[in-house]
Amino acid sequence: MLFPHTRSRRLELRPASADDRSEFVRTLLRTGIESVTPARARATLDSSAAFLVALRSSGDVVGFSTLHGLDPAGHLRSGLYLDPERAKYGVGAEGMYLTTNYAFAAFPVDKLLGQTTEATFGSIGVTNDDEAKGVLDEHLYFQGRHWNLHNFEVTRSEWNVLVDGRLGNVLGDGLSWRHDPNRTPQRAV
């Protein structure tokens, strides 16, 4: 059983509200996305789950994370929007792991879908060698050029393998994706 962790070694996901919409749009614009419409921003924060992404060390908010578009087929969409000037190296991957785990722990979904461009590969731990399920050539225009939109997905069974393997240290010492975060951490035996 997965538990909906909202804290990792360096990050904390805090519930976002309608009051955070203006900052959400500003964060999107700081990422370099020039084609954001107010309707899209509103729809993204009117979602299944929306979080402020904050650094645990300082409490500074570095971006937003969303889960939206739950459909009858058991698919959910994910979005992670980090301010490049505030986010430190590697926090994108931690934010993505927390959001992905939250989706599978809190919702009856079989697949989580996400999209990104090469501009954000490094910040979320994706490389050019990672296999996208589909690529829309030159689909987005921002930062003065056209970008390919890469579509990624992870299934519940794939996620279960990851949390039991290489993602074990993301949460911190003694914590597990399968252990209730509100209880005393497990001790190494």
Side-chain angles (χ1 to χ4, degrees), residues 73-77 104 109-113 153-156:
H75 303 159
L76 186 62
R77 294 193 172 277
F104 288 122
V109 296
D110 296 317
K111 190 180 291 184
L112 188 65
L113 309 169
E153 62 184 47
V154 61
T155 64
R156 181 178 292 277

Side-chain angles (χ1 to χ4, degrees), residues 81-188:
Y81 313 93
L82 299 178
D83 184 333
E85 294 178 8
R86 296 183 195 171
K88 295 181 171 55
Y89 180 75
V91 298
E94 276 187 40
M96 188 172 63
Y97 299 150
L98 285 171
T99 303
T100 300
N101 188 73
Y102 192 93
F104 288 122
F107 296 96
V109 296
D110 296 317
K111 190 180 291 184
L112 188 65
L113 309 169
Q115 297 177 316
T116 191
T117 68
E118 308 91 281
T120 60
F121 275 9
S123 67
I124 60 171
V126 173
T127 68
N128 286 327
D129 295 333
D130 289 325
E131 190 175 324
K133 298 296 182 185
V135 179
L136 300 173
D137 291 334
E138 298 185 354
H139 187 74
L140 292 176
Y141 182 83
F142 69 96
Q143 296 178 345
R145 64 171 271 204
H146 287 93
W147 294 83
N148 296 340
L149 186 63
H150 298 258
N151 295 279
F152 292 93
E153 62 184 47
V154 61
T155 64
R156 181 178 292 277
S157 61
E158 291 168 333
W159 184 250
N160 279 321
V161 170
L162 286 172
V163 298
D164 290 335
R166 67 181 180 133
L167 298 183
N169 65 345
V170 171
L171 297 174
D173 291 337
L175 295 174
S176 163
W177 299 99
R178 298 188 185 282
H179 186 258
D180 185 343
N182 300 310
R183 294 190 177 210
T184 307
Q186 299 172 357
R187 300 288 176 220

